[in-house]
Amino acid sequence: MTEKPNLNYIQEISGGDKEFENKLLQIVKNELPNEIETYTNFLKQEKFILAAEIVHKIKHKISILGLTKSYQVAIDYEEDLKKNSIKLKNEFEIILTSMIHFINKV
């Protein structure tokens, strides 16, 4: 996957309001690591429905960071988890890693 997180969507909806952009980015920075940890714990416990709920929350951050293809992966993975399938786990977790690297740099 060559898609990389970006600030395009945040900049688009902010209309150039840097304070708004920073607030939105700060929310992502604050919430994403905790959501990933919660998702990981649910997965380890094979609580797939609960993991799907966290994927649902993370999905919105994927969208905010301009990852359109990854957003579809998250949609599919969320549905798979509801059926006790983790076939998209590796692909989804690569997305999470790229998001964490990105938010730690900006």
Side-chain angles (χ1 to χ4, degrees):
M1 179 181 301
T2 57
E3 192 176 41
K4 298 204 180 313
N6 60 73
L7 299 176
N8 297 349
Y9 179 74
I10 292 174
Q11 292 165 345
E12 188 180 309
I13 63 171
S14 76
D17 182 341
K18 293 295 179 197
E19 188 177 331
F20 174 80
E21 289 175 17
N22 290 334
K23 281 182 183 175
L24 192 54
L25 202 51
Q26 200 55 51
I27 290 169
V28 173
K29 285 182 175 187
N30 289 341
E31 293 180 358
L32 185 62
N34 295 331
E35 289 171 347
I36 291 172
E37 183 179 352
T38 303
Y39 153 79
T40 303
N41 288 336
F42 284 146
L43 212 57
K44 284 179 187 168
Q45 298 168 36
E46 296 187 4
K47 294 181 178 178
F48 299 123
I49 299 295
L50 295 173
E53 290 174 11
I54 302 301
V55 170
H56 182 80
K57 290 181 181 181
I58 293 171
K59 183 171 67 180
H60 299 294
K61 290 172 182 67
I62 290 171
S63 177
I64 287 169
L65 293 179
L67 299 166
T68 52
K69 292 179 184 130
S70 299
Y71 184 77
Q72 187 59 52
V73 171
I75 290 170
D76 295 342
Y77 186 46
E78 180 184 352
E79 291 306 310
D80 283 354
L81 282 168
K82 291 176 184 176
K83 300 172 191 158
N84 294 330
S85 169
I86 58 169
K87 69 180 178 210
L88 291 172
K89 177 182 180 288
N90 290 341
E91 193 172 348
F92 181 74
E93 291 179 0
I94 289 168
I95 295 163
L96 296 181
T97 301
S98 74
M99 291 170 66
I100 288 293
H101 287 308
F102 179 76
I103 63 169
N104 287 336
K105 288 181 189 171
V106 292

